[in-house]
Amino acid sequence: MTADTIEPEEYASDPAERRREQRGWYFYDFACSVYSTSVLTVFLGPYLTSVARAAADADGFVHPLGIPVRAGSLFAYAVSASIVVAVLVMPLVGAAADRTGRKKPLLAASAYLGAAATAGMFFLAGDRYLLGAFLLIVANASLSVSMVLYNAYLPQIAQPDERDAVSSRGWAFGYTSGALVLVLNLVLYSGHDSFGLTEGEAVRICLASAGVWWGAFTLVPLRRLRDRQVRPEGAERAGEGAVGSGWGQLRATLKDMRRHPLTLSFLLAYLIYNDGIQTVISQASIYGSEELKLDQTTLITAVLLVQVLAVAGALGMGRLARTHGAKRTILGSLAVWTLILAAGYFLPANSPVFFYWLAGAIGLVMGGSQALSRSLFSHLVPRGKEAEYFSAYEMSDRGLSWLGPLVFGLAYQLTGSYRDAIISLVIFFVVGFTLLARVPVRRAVEAAGNPVPERI
């Protein structure tokens, strides 16, 4: 046993050490959320679209690998492709982490690969749309892989009754960092002339700085978190570390998950409604710039508003969960998401005020719905299989969320209207709500062999 590997009994008996790890854990959200906010939500969509249009033919199409793609759909397709890559990698990484008990080296590798790809976006200029798509695929897939490992720490650093609050604080840390960096981005972008920069150079600096931030603050969780070897009940350790066993372990994980059908029922519901959430997050800037004709400064300030209100929303929904339970609180948030999309469809163009109201509503429900879903799932995971099961969760969170961007991109490709694309996402929230409402979460926690919190 190494200095960084401790038994779970030591963790459980030392509240001070547990709090220290929780504080370190929060900082990975603080590190990587800047990518999600500044890169994926604000700058890269419109910028990559402009780069693709610079390379497009007279009909507005680019031809990666000889495939005709409307320039306005490239970003959505690249997001979808990144998720397919993540699907292939995440279960293998999760299984390897559970076999060895060494999540931290894998977290470091995936985090720094994503940070490097993001920093490399500084070189995305001219008509280099293929470079932009490639870096997006690498960065987004790396983020998904790292989140498997990050989320798998939650059951090991927080007791059952703490998890809603701890998960919500992690999201709040992420939104705080996103808001802080967006303020700096806004200063640089709005005053790029006074800094002697072109608009494109300012955008590329904002993109690259997100990668530097991600890499720098990842050092905090890597110093604070401790790896634990937790043997799954009935697991055979011999030969589990053999090279090439990853796909066999993936099959074994999926087979094992069939023994927990209620956990799978929750994952199915989460897969559906979170697909809608992730697509709204990743495509909002394109919708604002292309359909609503809003300028980049308006988009930045709107997303900044989302970040500020998301901190309050994540913490507030965490408190609601203590009173009403996580499941009921999530269901309420999904109803609000449905109303948000319906309102978004009817937003008039060139009306920043209405867009700000919509952004505020998104901020209030976005963090809480995701934080509470993560903490609720942590109760449904059999002990010792955290990374494996969280790889399946992350496939639902980011890894299998390819359908929403694909539908969004296809809707635009076929109709040329982003309004048609945005309204198509309502179905994800309606179906997800219906499926989640049918999951008996108390029985699911008991079936996983975990203690049932007083409110869930």
Side-chain angles (χ1 to χ4, degrees):
M1 183 178 300
T2 68
D4 281 341
T5 305
I6 62 176
E7 294 296 336
E9 291 77 14
E10 295 179 42
Y11 130 75
S13 64
D14 189 352
E17 174 64 18
R18 187 167 69 250
R19 287 192 296 271
R20 182 179 185 275
E21 286 194 80
Q22 288 170 3
R23 288 191 292 268
W25 186 80
Y26 299 150
F27 266 92
Y28 191 66
D29 253 320
F30 192 85
C32 69
S33 291
V34 171
Y35 165 84
S36 299
T37 303
S38 290
V39 176
L40 200 61
T41 304
V42 177
F43 287 109
L44 188 57
Y47 186 71
L48 182 57
T49 300
S50 69
V51 171
R53 283 182 173 149
D57 59 22
D59 296 322
F61 285 83
V62 291
H63 299 270
L65 304 177
I67 302 171
V69 173
R70 192 185 292 270
S73 296
L74 178 71
F75 176 70
Y77 288 156
V79 171
S80 188
S82 73
I83 292 165
V84 172
V85 173
V87 166
L88 299 176
V89 177
M90 287 190 298
L92 309 183
V93 172
D98 281 335
R99 279 200 311 272
T100 63
R102 302 287 291 165
K103 291 188 282 291
K104 195 153 62 169
L106 295 170
L107 175 62
S110 55
Y112 283 109
L113 177 61
T118 305
M121 292 176 186
F122 178 79
F123 301 102
L124 177 57
D127 59 357
R128 298 175 182 171
Y129 75 93
L130 285 176
L131 174 64
F134 173 76
L135 292 175
L136 169 59
I137 290 169
V138 172
N140 222 37
S142 297
L143 177 66
S144 296
V145 171
S146 72
M147 291 302 292
V148 169
L149 303 156
Y150 169 69
N151 287 335
Y153 277 104
L154 180 58
Q156 298 178 350
I157 65 172
Q159 294 178 345
D161 290 336
E162 298 176 313
R163 289 180 196 166
D164 286 346
V166 170
S167 183
S168 295
R169 289 187 198 116
W171 281 104
F173 262 63
Y175 291 127
T176 299
S177 73
L180 175 60
V181 173
L182 270 181
V183 169
L184 300 176
N185 291 159
L186 181 59
V187 171
L188 179 64
Y189 179 82
S190 300
H192 60 82
D193 287 333
S194 61
F195 290 107
L197 300 171
T198 66
E199 182 178 346
E201 288 170 341
V203 170
R204 290 190 286 119
I205 290 172
C206 291
L207 293 171
S209 65
V212 175
W213 182 284
W214 184 358
F217 284 100
T218 294
L219 293 172
V220 179
L222 292 180
R223 289 181 61 85
R224 292 286 185 91
L225 292 172
R226 296 291 179 266
D227 281 333
R228 297 170 177 84
Q229 183 68 64
V230 181
R231 176 172 177 161
E233 185 177 353
E236 295 295 332
R237 309 304 297 180
E240 284 184 345
V243 175
S245 65
W247 288 106
Q249 182 61 54
L250 171 59
R251 289 192 294 270
T253 300
L254 296 176
K255 181 177 180 181
D256 183 77
M257 291 188 72
R258 290 200 295 270
R259 296 172 50 237
H260 301 279
L262 297 180
T263 301
L264 280 175
S265 296
F266 172 82
L267 272 178
L268 177 61
Y270 182 69
L271 183 155
I272 299 297
Y273 71 74
N274 190 66
D275 202 343
I277 293 174
Q278 293 297 326
T279 306
V280 171
I281 293 171
S282 66
Q283 306 302 319
S285 60
I286 289 231
Y287 184 70
S289 64
E290 299 296 323
E291 186 68 36
L292 302 182
K293 309 303 179 184
L294 301 174
D295 59 36
Q296 190 72 58
T297 300
T298 299
L299 295 177
I300 295 172
T301 52
V303 174
L304 180 59
L305 177 63
V306 169
Q307 297 301 113
V308 171
L309 291 179
V311 175
L315 297 176
M317 286 181 64
R319 293 189 182 96
L320 284 175
R322 289 200 292 270
T323 304
H324 302 288
K327 177 183 172 180
R328 289 182 180 178
T329 306
I330 295 168
L331 288 173
S333 75
L334 297 182
V336 175
W337 273 109
T338 304
L339 295 175
I340 286 170
L341 284 178
Y345 177 80
F346 293 105
L347 276 187
N350 300 303
S351 298
V353 173
F354 290 106
F355 191 70
Y356 287 141
W357 277 104
L358 197 68
I362 289 174
L364 290 174
V365 296
M366 182 171 67
S369 55
Q370 293 177 310
L372 292 177
S373 296
R374 177 170 64 185
S375 61
L376 180 56
F377 181 71
S378 73
H379 295 286
L380 310 182
V381 178
R383 182 178 171 181
K385 299 183 178 180
E386 291 84 4
E388 290 182 42
Y389 273 63
F390 265 109
S391 71
Y393 173 87
E394 191 65 22
M395 286 168 66
S396 299
D397 188 359
R398 287 180 172 84
L400 289 185
S401 295
W402 54 269
L403 184 58
L406 181 61
V407 168
F408 190 94
L410 284 173
Y412 178 75
Q413 176 136 346
L414 294 174
T415 68
S417 169
Y418 283 109
R419 292 186 187 273
D420 292 336
I422 202 72
I423 200 62
S424 69
L425 302 179
V426 167
I427 190 65
F428 292 97
F429 295 100
V430 173
V431 174
F433 180 101
T434 303
L435 293 176
L436 178 59
R438 296 168 59 88
V439 178
V441 291
R442 286 188 172 274
R443 280 203 289 133
V445 176
E446 293 172 349
N450 296 320
V452 182
E454 182 180 351
R455 293 283 184 183
I456 193 169

